[in-house]
Amino acid sequence: MLPDGTRSRVVIVGSSRYRHLDPLPTVAANVGEMGKLFTDELFWGLPEENCVRLLDPDRPAAVLDALARAAEEASDALVFYFAGHGVLRPDAYDLYLALEEGALERWWHAVRYDDIRRIMTDQAKATAKVVLLDCCFAGMAMMPGMGAGAEIGDRVRIEGTYLMTAVAETAVALAPRTEPLTAFTGAFVQVVREGVPDGPDVLDFHTLYLRTKSALEAVGRPTPQQRAGKEGGRIALVRNVALHESSRAAVREQASLTEQERRSLHLPPARLRDLLAELSVRDDDAAERLLRAVGSMRTEQGVAAVVHEVAKAGGAGQAGAVLAGAARRRPASLLALIEALRETGQDEQVTRLLAACAEQPADRVTALAAQLLEADDSDALDVLLDAAIGARPDRPRISLLVALLAAGLHDRVGAVLAGLGSRLPAAQTVEIADALRDAGQEQAAFSLYEAVAGLVAVRPLGVAAQLAAAMHRAGRERQASDLVELMAAGHHTRRERVGLLDALWTAGAPAGTAERLDHLDDRDLLDATLHLYTLSHQAAVRRLMLATLGRRPPGSTVRTVIALHDAGLPMEARSLLEHAAARPPADVVAVVTGFAGTGNDSYARLVLERSLSADVLAALPAELRRYARPALAQLPADQIVALAAALPAEAMLWVLGALPSGVDPGVLRVPAIALGLRALPEAAVRPLYGSLPVPPSLVDAAFSGAYGEPAACVESLLRLAEPASEQRVYEALAGRPAPDVARILEVAPRLMPAIAVLGTAATQLELLILLETAGRRPDADRLCAALRAHLPLADLCALAAALGDATLRPRANALLGLPPEAAAEPADLIVTGLLQDVTGEPARWTATQVRDRARLDPRTPVRHVVTGTGLGRGTVVVFTDTTLTCRLRRGQLVTIAYRRFGAVTVLRDHRSTIQLRAGGRLQSIEIRNAALYALLVRIQEAVASFDALRARLRPPGGIDAARA
């Protein structure tokens, strides 16, 4: 069915005049003829007002405006046609449709094809869209913009749009001056005007393309191309005028009948049955002729009625003759006849009719199949295709298969072919597939090949390899891979595999599993390689060798390189060395070891030259380093330093030794090699002193022993470190264990304060014990001085107590600044220190009165007295050297030793009265003095902190453990 002309629009553009390109005078005639095709009632009958003709438009906007208007108005079909020059921009593969002022270097005077496409895509509401291009370089409309000859139909494909273009990208469209129309448009117009004999009622664009292509190729003209989105190829815009010729053929057939036979054609079925019975007795040929004429000339229901009548009378042969005549009817009429037969309960006769149709020429069968597909009559279509293809496997109709596939019946034909492949002998299936492939129907052929892949794989190597290559090009990667795998399974020996690889590589097929030569030993692999080299497959052989050796131990690479060198292929040997150099470091070392062991020192050096990296150098044994030294010597100093920075200590020192004398100190300003700089001459390192940002992490490395004696390494780091880095290094040193610190005190003059500020109490204690027991008293004295300068009194007292526990009382007293023989309680010292900062109130009582009221011994020193504000009458609080004593107004005494104060809880009740909880008892001292409360809290916290630290510092093993 043709689109509704009132709801369709056509835009025909032709450019015949050019100022900078050759004129195309025949284009003017193209515009007229194409307009007639679309508006003539014989072909489509589009209203004149719906067909816009633009001959020689002067600007691109005129073309785009016309197309945009048509796109807005069309709801059924939209057609755009252009004839003229096509040009490509110099800097891109974009197609432009040149107008009068357009040219290669004047592309802005041309219509960009992408703008046409955008209108067709974004603005067009039509259900059927068609683009026809008749211009030189028109094939660029199907190129991806990536190079000459590369098709990109997907790039310009528009859903529901059909595209037909005159020529390929780099050809020049032919416009012979001796012909009235350009080559492409002339062939297209001729096909439409002549129609397709015995074809469908309307001609879709796929049919028009095939006919136009054949016409152009027959006279050696450029081959047109097409692209169809979805069912774009089934869009039809013109009637098949050749059907009139079919009608005339029917008239000629009727004329061959006698007058009596012509009058008998339309007799009632029963009378016609009787006449045929009499006629068959007298003249069997005449009866046959009349039966066939009935089938071709009566109406569809009339034919159905006659078939029913003669079949009912037992005339199966006569019914078959009628159906044979009916098989020559047009597809639309056959569909009506099939419906009539079904309506009259003659399903069996439908099958016989379709079998008769299957005997018709390929174009007739194809036209009927297309009509059945469109009518969604799958039952009849399956019967027809099975009769036409599957019922005669002994003589397959290749031309019919090709025509059916070209008509878009891929799925249906594929199903029939699948069934056919299961019934046919494998050899015959291959023959059919070969014929289909020769006819250009590769996908259908590949489907058949898949069913008999085993037989395909044993065909001559060249043939099978070409098939694998074709499958690969067609995107059937899995099938190509499976075929190659079958071929490889049948060609296992070295000689067979060489022949197989030669065939595959020559055909351009992916060799896949055929290149897996793991089953060959090194000798056979080398022989295969040398043989294939003689067949001009050097690049493929190199790839094969590299892949195979990459899966083998490094020793195989060593043996193969040596063998290739001995065979006179040093360049190939070197290519394997490049590959060996890219292997993991352990493999590289193994290869170097192999070459060194066979006396091939030059190859050992070459591998290391190509693979020189920190990972390889780190894995390289000391005995093989001499092979790497030439490669190191060729590197700039900064690259040597970069390698050294990434290496472990011993390898770093060796690599830094490769630096040239007089190296620029600036190159050495790399913190990671700070410890390695000790291996360099003093003159090279001295300019770096005090300027290197040494990371604290190097402190751990300095004590590892890998770079030498730790004290010397630390001394070197401190010399190199810039001020900020030096401080961080000291901080890291302060966190080291005490034995490490003791080893470096002489080279780290500022370490004592760092230990006092940043070191842990355990480290400080351990270091004091270590120095004291080692007889390093000057160092211990300096450490004590640093600790007294930086630690709180409670922390000092805790350290002193721990030293006392370790029977180092003199050192404990020295830490506290006391005489060696002094025996002071640390908690008493803590409280005494706190009381020194307390400001006393004006004395209300004399010292004697205070001692009397607190019931203290007259000789007891009084450090601090609290009386007055907040205290009840007669209440006094006395701080001595060792105890807190409180005399309450009722005469009760509360006494707590300072050493017990860590376990005391200082509270205040809701009346702000101070309460002390000690030993599980809660005692109120009836005092509301905030200053006293604060002092008691400070004392309790200080003594508690001392107790906790002392407990942590007390070694679990006792005195002996502390000394150890």
Side-chain angles (χ1 to χ4, degrees):
M1 182 177 179
L2 297 179
D4 184 352
T6 62
R7 297 188 296 114
S8 301
R9 299 293 185 272
V10 173
V11 177
I12 300 173
V13 181
S15 188
S16 63
R17 300 195 306 264
Y18 289 96
R19 295 186 59 183
H20 307 284
L21 297 171
D22 293 335
L24 301 172
T26 52
V27 166
N30 282 10
V31 174
E33 284 299 315
M34 291 299 291
K36 290 178 182 177
L37 284 186
F38 293 128
T39 58
D40 193 326
E41 288 287 348
L42 183 63
F43 304 110
W44 183 6
L46 184 75
E48 285 286 347
E49 63 271 18
N50 291 349
C51 182
V52 177
R53 301 174 179 87
L54 297 177
L55 180 59
D56 295 320
D58 58 352
R59 53 194 177 84
V63 177
L64 297 176
D65 286 345
L67 181 59
R69 283 193 299 272
E72 288 294 329
E73 297 170 357
S75 59
D76 199 344
L78 175 63
V79 181
F80 175 77
Y81 167 92
F82 175 83
H85 279 293
V87 297
L88 301 177
R89 281 186 57 180
D91 58 345
Y93 277 117
D94 290 338
L95 173 63
Y96 283 74
L97 310 179
L99 302 183
E100 183 174 355
E101 296 289 337
L104 184 65
E105 67 282 0
R106 298 170 61 84
W107 45 266
W108 55 89
H109 288 291
V111 180
R112 189 172 68 165
Y113 176 76
D114 281 348
D115 291 337
I116 299 294
R117 181 176 56 185
R118 188 172 295 108
I119 292 175
M120 299 291 287
T121 303
D122 299 341
Q123 294 180 242
K125 299 173 293 186
T127 56
K129 293 174 279 190
V130 176
V131 174
L132 303 173
L133 301 178
D134 185 1
C135 55
C136 55
F137 302 113
M140 185 58 211
M142 290 177 290
M143 303 298 139
M146 61 182 185
E151 296 187 4
I152 56 153
D154 289 342
R155 178 184 167 195
V156 297
R157 181 165 292 155
I158 306 170
E159 293 299 327
T161 299
Y162 178 85
L163 170 72
M164 189 189 302
T165 179
V167 293
E169 177 186 3
T170 57
V172 177
L174 295 181
R177 294 180 181 274
T178 58
E179 297 182 13
L181 303 173
T182 59
F184 169 75
T185 299
F188 181 84
V189 170
Q190 182 179 359
V191 168
V192 174
R193 291 193 175 280
E194 291 181 355
V196 179
D198 299 320
D201 293 340
V202 295
L203 301 178
D204 60 29
F205 271 98
H206 183 75
T207 301
L208 293 175
Y209 168 76
L210 292 177
R211 294 278 177 158
T212 303
K213 174 176 176 289
S214 297
L216 290 169
E217 289 177 343
V219 294
R221 299 280 170 78
T223 301
Q225 298 181 18
Q226 69 168 345
R227 290 293 183 273
K230 285 187 176 179
E231 299 297 322
R234 300 184 64 82
I235 297 173
L237 296 181
V238 294
R239 297 181 178 87
N240 185 5
V241 297
L243 292 182
H244 296 296
E245 179 62 26
S246 298
S247 300
R248 287 192 289 272
V251 172
R252 288 194 297 271
E253 182 179 6
Q254 185 174 1
S256 66
L257 301 174
T258 65
E259 181 63 28
Q260 182 179 3
E261 290 171 344
R262 284 198 297 274
R263 288 197 302 270
S264 304
L265 283 174
H266 301 289
L267 288 174
R271 290 184 58 191
L272 182 58
R273 177 200 61 203
D274 296 340
L275 175 62
L276 286 169
E278 297 173 4
L279 186 59
S280 60
V281 175
R282 299 194 312 269
D283 187 348
D284 192 59
D285 290 340
E288 178 77 13
R289 186 170 61 250
L290 180 57
L291 287 167
R292 288 180 176 271
V294 168
S296 63
M297 297 181 188
R298 285 185 74 130
T299 64
E300 291 83 359
Q301 60 178 332
V303 172
V306 171
V307 169
H308 180 268
E309 194 65 36
V310 297
K312 184 174 63 176
Q318 291 184 338
V322 175
L323 294 174
R328 294 177 296 173
R329 302 170 79 101
R330 292 185 294 114
S333 177
L334 285 169
L335 261 65
L337 177 54
I338 291 171
E339 183 64 24
L341 290 171
R342 287 172 174 165
E343 288 291 332
T344 55
Q346 301 185 78
D347 290 342
E348 181 181 349
Q349 302 301 341
V350 171
T351 301
R352 296 184 67 188
L353 171 63
L354 292 170
C357 292
E359 298 290 339
Q360 296 297 307
D363 58 347
R364 282 179 172 272
V365 177
T366 302
L368 176 57
Q371 289 278 319
L372 290 171
L373 181 65
E374 185 176 351
D376 198 24
D377 193 341
S378 57
D379 292 339
L381 179 59
D382 290 342
V383 171
L384 175 66
L385 294 180
D386 189 62
I389 303 172
R392 296 180 297 176
D394 55 321
R395 49 187 186 94
R397 301 173 64 187
I398 302 301
S399 61
L400 175 59
L401 286 173
V402 173
L404 290 169
L405 291 168
L409 294 162
H410 300 88
D411 293 341
R412 296 287 182 172
V413 174
V416 175
L417 286 177
L420 187 63
S422 64
R423 302 199 307 268
L424 285 177
Q428 194 167 0
T429 300
V430 171
E431 291 179 11
I432 297 174
D434 287 344
L436 285 172
R437 185 163 174 255
D438 291 341
Q441 295 296 330
E442 284 198 325
Q443 294 296 338
F446 293 153
S447 296
L448 286 178
Y449 285 135
E450 194 165 21
V452 289
L455 184 58
V456 175
V458 297
R459 301 182 78 175
L461 281 179
V463 176
Q466 289 290 346
L467 277 175
M471 293 170 183
H472 170 66
R473 289 193 299 270
R476 299 177 75 102
E477 301 289 350
R478 183 193 58 77
Q479 187 176 0
S481 175
D482 290 348
L483 176 57
V484 170
E485 185 173 353
L486 288 172
M487 296 169 69
H491 296 77
H492 197 70
T493 67
R494 173 181 59 79
R495 186 182 300 276
E496 291 171 342
R497 190 59 64 88
V498 166
L500 172 60
L501 289 172
D502 178 38
L504 291 171
W505 290 341
T506 300
T513 53
E515 293 183 353
R516 298 281 299 197
L517 302 183
D518 298 344
H519 62 288
L520 300 181
D521 60 24
D522 289 352
R523 183 70 255 174
D524 278 347
L525 176 63
L526 180 63
D527 290 345
T529 300
L530 296 177
H531 190 170
L532 288 167
Y533 266 116
T534 66
L535 301 176
S536 301
H537 296 303
Q538 284 81 2
V541 173
R542 186 177 300 120
R543 184 187 69 245
L544 170 68
M545 183 69 75
L546 294 178
T548 304
L549 291 177
R551 297 188 294 270
R552 298 191 177 195
S556 295
T557 298
V558 173
R559 289 188 290 272
T560 304
V561 168
I562 296 173
L564 288 174
H565 183 275
D566 294 343
L569 295 170
M571 299 304 295
E572 299 306 324
R574 282 179 173 264
S575 73
L576 290 185
L577 290 180
E578 297 284 352
H579 176 71
R583 296 180 71 159
D587 288 355
V588 172
V589 172
V591 170
V592 173
T593 302
F595 284 131
T598 56
N600 288 275
D601 292 358
S602 61
Y603 280 153
R605 287 192 295 271
L606 186 58
V607 170
L608 286 174
E609 179 183 324
R610 298 291 190 271
S611 65
L612 199 62
S613 67
D615 291 338
V616 171
L617 290 174
L620 198 64
E623 64 271 16
L624 295 179
R625 287 176 180 165
R626 60 191 177 93
Y627 297 108
R629 189 168 293 279
L632 280 173
Q634 297 176 16
L635 295 178
D638 60 337
Q639 293 187 26
I640 295 177
V641 169
L643 280 173
L647 290 173
E650 195 266 341
M652 176 196 290
L653 296 173
W654 171 73
V655 170
L656 288 175
L659 285 169
S661 58
V663 62
D664 180 7
V667 174
L668 303 176
R669 201 176 298 278
V670 178
I673 66 166
L675 288 170
L677 294 177
R678 296 185 59 250
L680 300 182
E682 175 72 14
V685 182
R686 189 179 297 111
L688 299 176
Y689 285 172
S691 66
L692 203 63
V694 176
S697 59
L698 289 184
V699 170
D700 291 339
F703 283 96
S704 68
Y707 294 93
E709 205 281 320
C713 290
V714 170
E715 183 179 23
S716 178
L717 288 180
L718 291 172
R719 286 180 180 178
L720 291 168
E722 63 183 6
S725 296
E726 184 184 24
Q727 178 61 32
R728 289 193 291 271
V729 170
Y730 270 115
E731 293 171 0
L733 290 172
R736 299 293 304 177
D740 288 351
V741 175
R743 296 166 67 182
I744 62 172
L745 284 175
E746 292 183 4
V747 299
R750 292 167 47 199
L751 185 54
M752 291 296 191
I755 291 292
V757 175
L758 301 171
T760 66
T763 299
Q764 294 164 351
L765 174 62
E766 185 180 359
L767 185 57
L768 282 169
I769 295 174
L770 190 153
L771 294 174
E772 185 70 21
T773 57
R776 296 172 59 179
R777 289 189 174 86
D779 286 336
D781 290 341
R782 288 194 296 123
L783 179 57
C784 285
L787 292 172
R788 284 197 303 273
H790 294 91
L791 289 185
L793 181 58
D795 291 357
L796 281 174
C797 290
L799 286 173
L803 288 170
D805 294 339
T807 69
L808 297 174
R809 175 63 61 185
R811 177 53 58 190
N813 288 346
L815 178 62
L816 296 173
L818 299 175
E821 68 281 0
E825 172 64 42
D828 298 344
L829 295 176
I830 293 171
V831 177
T832 300
L834 292 174
L835 293 175
Q836 289 175 355
D837 299 328
V838 177
T839 303
E841 298 180 358
R844 294 176 58 187
W845 299 314
T846 66
T848 301
Q849 290 175 323
V850 168
R851 290 188 184 94
D852 289 342
R853 295 190 67 80
R855 299 177 185 174
L856 298 175
D857 186 276
R859 293 169 297 180
T860 301
V862 175
R863 299 297 182 185
H864 181 63
V865 177
V866 179
T867 61
T869 306
L871 276 68
R873 184 176 179 182
T875 300
V876 62
V877 178
V878 181
F879 292 88
T880 71
D881 285 343
T882 61
T883 62
L884 163 70
T885 299
C886 180
R887 166 68 183 272
L888 303 180
R889 62 183 178 180
R890 296 187 183 89
Q892 303 101 314
L893 279 177
V894 176
T895 301
I896 302 175
Y898 296 148
R899 67 178 182 275
R900 308 291 185 190
F901 230 93
V904 171
T905 303
V906 182
L907 303 169
R908 281 201 289 187
D909 62 15
H910 64 285
R911 296 174 297 176
S912 298
T913 299
I914 298 175
Q915 296 176 326
L916 299 177
R917 184 189 300 275
R921 295 175 58 197
L922 182 64
Q923 299 185 46
S924 173
I925 57 177
E926 302 176 357
I927 296 173
R928 297 190 183 93
N929 187 300
L932 175 61
Y933 173 78
L935 176 60
L936 292 175
V937 169
R938 288 201 302 276
I939 293 173
Q940 191 278 331
E941 290 176 346
V943 176
S945 175
F946 159 78
D947 289 343
L949 183 55
R950 182 177 183 180
R952 292 201 303 272
L953 292 176
R954 183 175 291 117
I959 294 175
D960 293 337
R963 286 182 172 276

